[in-house]
Amino acid sequence: MTFTMPFYATKARCQNQTERTAIYIKAWGFLKYHHPNVAGGTINWDSVFIAHVDKAIAAKTGTQLNAQISALLAAAGPINNPQEAHLTGAIFTLNHDLDWLQHSTLISASNREKLQFIFTHRNRGNNRFVKFNNITDYSGENPYDKMTWPDAQYRMLFLARFWNAINYYDPYKFIAAQKWNTVLTRFISKVGDVKDTTAWHKLLLQLAVSLHDGHSQLDGRDNIWGNYISPFYIAIWHDTVIITHTGVDSICRRAGIQKGGILLAINGEPIAKRIARFKPYITSSNAVSLNRHLEIELLSSQDTVQTVTFKQGGKTFTTRVKTMLKTQRNWQFINNYTANDKGYEIIGKSIIRVYTMQLWEKNVDTVKTLMQGKKAVIFDARSYTSNDTFYNIFDIFLPAPAAINYITKILPDDPGYFQWELSPKIGANNPAPYNGIVIILADERCQSQGEYSVMTLQTIPHSITIGSQTSGTDGVVSYIPMGSGLGITYSGYGIYYPDKTPTQQRGLRIDIEAKKTAKSIINDEDVALEKAMEYLKGRGIE
């Protein structure tokens, strides 16, 4: 079935049809997570959706729509021995929204009463569709991995699955730039227009982008931009694209491409136009996160040779360059993380610069001893810290154990509500903690665990964070299966400072700003480190 309205349909009719379809999707998702027989039982709720979706979409009146909602209620069955649900503990409520149920004029009084009864007596105990196992776990969903190409009904099912999962279990839904109800109505009409696999993947990418969450990706997709890429690496500053590394020197040298060049066009397409074409499919939490993700995809190509126009030394050049396979990319150049082989370096007599990306278990005791002997420690956290041994250094800095953050974790039994939970404390009682100056360097390269590492370092009393806005992307990644081996990821629980200040989208606290410029990137200047050294010099430490 195709959901596209005939050419003679009026705009108002299409809008009404979309609104009725949205109510059907919301009612189906509500019953999925609230009704004890569905959430806790064995009813094939996907099949129930498929059985009624065509009639729900074709409904021309509220009466016809309510007949399909009644059919959903009948399929769920009566609640045996209903128990009234109660919330306990410290509850985060900003994501809870049942306005559609309480105020929609499309739902009959009878169906509204039944749905409200189900809310009051919602499922308690096991939820077969969603669990919390340190992540929000959707492994109870049918993945439909062997489905090669979903027809229109199943595409609508996957939209309904994703929209409802986010509606009830995304901790950051309340700060998404787009109202979530608007996302549903916008995509309902798009689902029926999909013509092939690439278009479907692009639509799912746009659905992921609608979360404004740097963790939200379409996992398992084909590369919609091609398997090849330019043989150099870039940084984007506003709309300026700067060549930062020449990954395959021989190819770039023959083409005359050098570090510090300003990219103007690829295959005759101006770089600003190319950025605008890629943006709708690039997930991000904020502007710096968007540029970071663009840097990975913007040079993609289906061609083995590209025509590149760039500016170098005041002159403009156009050259042809052989591309490389994406699998051959150097991830160190892509991420441009700050690190060295040793994990630290001594600066002058009194300063140690410690790279948080190091393999801590190999030299944690050495680094702790070195730090204690210096007047200042600079933690260079512009990277991704993935080693838990990192947390063993804090006993020398903290006078007493300290909590890093709050999380908001899902309550499977109470969809839309979240539990506040304070993190375990780090450090130990120490009557003589380190009394030197602690500086933390942070910028857009800090994402997810990298941001959490900075937040952890910020528990050190009187520490100073120098740099620029971080990615604003924190919380362990969760995965919603979307059929055909695809899934959309997102930040599965909320991360907040101990005073409950959010970090998502806005990034971490920066005490002293040190912003890069196009000139500093071209000249390979480290403005944050320079600012840190100025700060220490002003206090007599060199």
Side-chain angles (χ1 to χ4, degrees):
M1 173 184 174
T2 178
F3 300 130
T4 305
M5 289 295 290
F7 71 91
Y8 52 82
T10 66
K11 180 178 180 181
R13 181 179 168 190
C14 289
Q15 183 177 354
N16 290 338
Q17 183 190 42
T18 299
E19 289 174 355
R20 285 189 288 268
T21 304
I23 290 295
Y24 172 79
I25 287 173
K26 291 174 183 179
W28 175 82
F30 174 87
L31 292 169
K32 174 178 181 177
Y33 292 127
H34 291 82
H35 198 296
N37 298 346
V38 181
T42 59
I43 299 171
N44 188 332
W45 204 236
D46 288 356
S47 293
V48 173
F49 181 94
I50 296 298
H52 298 281
V53 65
D54 288 356
K55 291 180 180 179
I57 291 168
K60 297 179 181 179
T61 65
T63 300
Q64 291 174 342
L65 170 64
N66 277 281
Q68 300 314 309
I69 295 175
S70 296
L72 293 177
L73 288 162
I79 300 177
N80 298 318
N81 189 27
Q83 302 294 316
E84 193 167 319
H86 297 282
L87 291 165
T88 59
I91 304 298
F92 178 85
T93 62
L94 289 180
N95 277 324
H96 194 263
D97 179 15
L98 290 178
D99 183 74
W100 65 272
L101 171 56
Q102 296 160 348
H103 299 115
S104 174
T105 58
L106 293 173
I107 302 175
S108 69
S110 174
N111 280 338
R112 190 189 319 279
E113 182 179 353
K114 292 173 184 176
L115 292 168
Q116 288 177 333
F117 178 86
I118 291 165
F119 172 74
T120 303
H121 302 86
R122 57 190 175 272
N123 182 63
R124 316 312 287 167
N126 180 58
N127 186 311
R128 56 185 292 231
F129 298 110
V130 60
K131 300 175 179 63
F132 187 79
N133 295 318
N134 294 320
I135 63 169
T136 305
D137 179 1
Y138 296 96
S139 59
E141 295 279 11
N142 185 340
Y144 298 100
D145 282 344
K146 295 182 179 179
M147 181 179 288
T148 56
W149 165 240
D151 63 21
Q153 291 176 322
Y154 277 92
R155 294 198 300 274
M156 193 65 80
L157 169 67
F158 293 134
L159 172 62
R161 172 186 288 185
F162 179 75
W163 188 89
N164 280 290
I166 295 300
N167 189 53
Y168 292 113
Y169 296 116
D170 181 356
Y172 297 128
K173 185 190 73 170
F174 75 104
I175 56 173
Q178 301 178 56
K179 294 293 185 182
W180 199 236
N181 287 322
T182 303
V183 171
L184 179 58
T185 54
R186 184 160 58 88
F187 277 86
I188 283 172
S189 59
K190 290 184 176 185
V191 164
D193 295 334
V194 171
K195 304 301 181 185
D196 55 37
T197 301
T198 298
W200 175 233
H201 289 186
K202 283 186 174 182
L203 186 64
L204 291 178
L205 268 173
Q206 289 180 301
L207 195 56
V209 168
S210 69
L211 295 181
H212 299 274
D213 176 359
H215 274 148
S216 187
Q217 307 286 340
L218 178 58
D219 190 61
R221 65 179 168 90
D222 293 335
N223 198 307
I224 63 173
W225 308 113
N227 294 319
Y228 297 94
I229 200 160
S230 306
F232 49 84
Y233 301 81
I234 59 172
I236 300 175
W237 182 251
H238 298 301
D239 287 332
T240 301
V241 180
I242 303 160
I243 298 171
T244 56
H245 300 89
T246 54
V248 184
D249 287 336
S250 59
I251 294 175
C252 291
R253 190 164 49 248
R254 285 196 297 270
I257 297 172
Q258 300 176 47
K259 180 179 178 178
I262 305 297
L263 195 60
L264 302 178
I266 295 178
N267 291 337
E269 181 181 30
I271 205 67
K273 185 176 181 180
R274 190 175 182 88
I275 288 174
R277 182 162 62 88
F278 276 59
K279 266 187 179 181
Y281 307 100
I282 303 295
T283 56
S284 64
S285 298
N286 54 34
V288 298
S289 169
L290 174 63
N291 281 346
R292 283 271 295 156
H293 292 169
L294 271 170
E295 288 165 6
I296 296 173
E297 294 287 359
L298 191 64
L299 305 180
S300 298
S301 176
Q302 296 179 350
D303 304 319
T304 56
V305 176
Q306 286 179 335
T307 300
V308 176
T309 303
F310 63 97
K311 181 184 288 187
Q312 191 98 38
K315 296 181 179 180
T316 299
F317 303 89
T318 297
T319 184
R320 287 174 62 78
V321 61
K322 183 179 178 183
T323 58
M324 61 190 293
L325 286 170
K326 286 186 173 180
T327 54
Q328 297 173 338
R329 295 280 273 170
N330 184 323
W331 282 95
Q332 175 58 34
F333 288 159
I334 292 173
N335 291 314
N336 203 25
Y337 288 151
T338 50
N340 69 9
D341 292 338
K342 193 164 53 174
Y344 63 89
E345 63 175 317
I346 306 299
I347 302 174
K349 296 180 180 179
S350 305
I351 305 167
I352 182 171
R353 180 186 186 185
V354 178
Y355 297 96
T356 59
M357 193 178 176
Q358 67 176 289
L359 298 176
W360 285 94
E361 74 273 9
K362 292 187 176 181
N363 63 352
V364 64
D365 293 331
T366 298
V367 172
K368 287 172 72 172
T369 300
L370 288 169
M371 289 191 297
Q372 287 175 303
K374 299 298 179 183
K375 293 181 181 179
V377 178
I378 299 174
F379 284 105
D380 198 331
R382 296 169 295 179
S383 61
Y384 187 94
T385 306
S386 57
N387 192 293
D388 287 344
T389 310
F390 168 69
Y391 298 100
N392 293 332
I393 68 171
F394 289 91
D395 58 335
I396 69 173
F397 291 102
L398 301 179
I404 303 167
N405 67 291
Y406 267 103
I407 70 168
T408 50
K409 71 175 186 179
I410 69 163
L411 297 170
D413 287 352
D414 297 299
Y417 294 110
F418 293 74
Q419 183 85 47
W420 283 109
E421 185 174 286
L422 191 62
S423 70
K425 295 182 177 182
I426 57 170
N429 290 315
N430 183 356
Y434 177 80
N435 62 0
I437 295 175
V438 175
I439 292 176
I440 307 159
L441 304 183
D443 63 13
E444 74 282 352
R445 286 169 283 187
C446 302
Q447 176 170 318
S448 191
Q449 186 63 41
E451 286 183 288
Y452 195 73
S453 298
V454 172
M455 183 180 280
T456 305
L457 290 166
Q458 289 176 335
T459 63
I460 299 173
H462 312 299
S463 60
I464 304 294
T465 304
I466 297 177
S468 55
Q469 186 180 32
T470 61
S471 177
T473 305
D474 212 346
V476 175
V477 175
S478 294
Y479 174 96
I480 303 172
M482 298 293 284
S484 308
L486 302 172
I488 298 179
T489 58
Y490 73 99
S491 300
Y493 57 70
I495 298 288
Y496 295 76
Y497 278 105
D499 64 359
K500 297 185 178 178
T501 299
T503 62
Q504 186 76 355
Q505 295 190 4
R506 66 179 66 184
L508 302 179
R509 291 170 177 159
I510 303 295
D511 299 308
I512 300 174
E513 284 201 339
K515 292 185 177 180
K516 290 176 278 193
T517 64
K519 182 180 178 181
S520 69
I521 295 171
I522 291 170
N523 295 333
D524 208 15
E525 298 168 359
D526 192 334
V527 293
L529 181 60
E530 290 173 4
K531 185 76 74 173
M533 297 305 295
E534 288 175 13
Y535 180 89
L536 293 174
K537 186 176 181 180
R539 285 151 183 77
I541 300 175
E542 296 186 69

